Amino acid sequence: MSYSTTDPVALSRVRCKFAVFSGLSLVAAAVGLPAWSVAALVLTSLAIPVAVGLAGGGGLLRQLLRPGANPGGGTRSPDRGTRRTRPST
């Protein structure tokens, strides 16, 4: 059985794992777990965006950190015209 290294992992799965590790880092620090375990969780949380950035570039990293961001690079929708108001008498 061979695995293909070109199949990308769904970004939603990576985003979910990033959120879980970030949340676990906060909980571990709040509860008072040993420093080595908090450090391991924080470093894993930081490694996820680094790996996504290295694998897919800045656009994919932007999509990971800002799910609602426009992948087109911040283009705006065309203006729909001016708003008409009732003439005053």
Side-chain angles (χ1 to χ4, degrees):
M1 174 189 244
S2 68
Y3 293 101
S4 173
T5 58
T6 59
D7 293 340
V9 178
L11 192 60
S12 61
R13 290 180 64 189
V14 176
R15 190 178 297 125
C16 180
K17 290 175 194 246
F18 177 61
V20 167
F21 276 106
S22 299
L24 285 174
S25 300
L26 293 174
V27 169
V31 171
L33 289 179
W36 62 267
S37 61
V38 175
L41 287 168
V42 168
L43 289 175
T44 303
S45 298
L46 292 175
I48 291 172
V50 170
V52 168
L54 290 174
L60 194 61
L61 181 61
R62 216 171 292 114
Q63 287 179 359
L64 173 72
L65 298 176
R66 294 177 37 193
N70 185 3
T75 58
R76 303 179 95 189
S77 60
D79 192 20
R80 295 186 182 213
T82 59
R83 184 176 172 185
R84 299 198 180 249
T85 58
R86 189 171 37 170
S88 59
T89 56

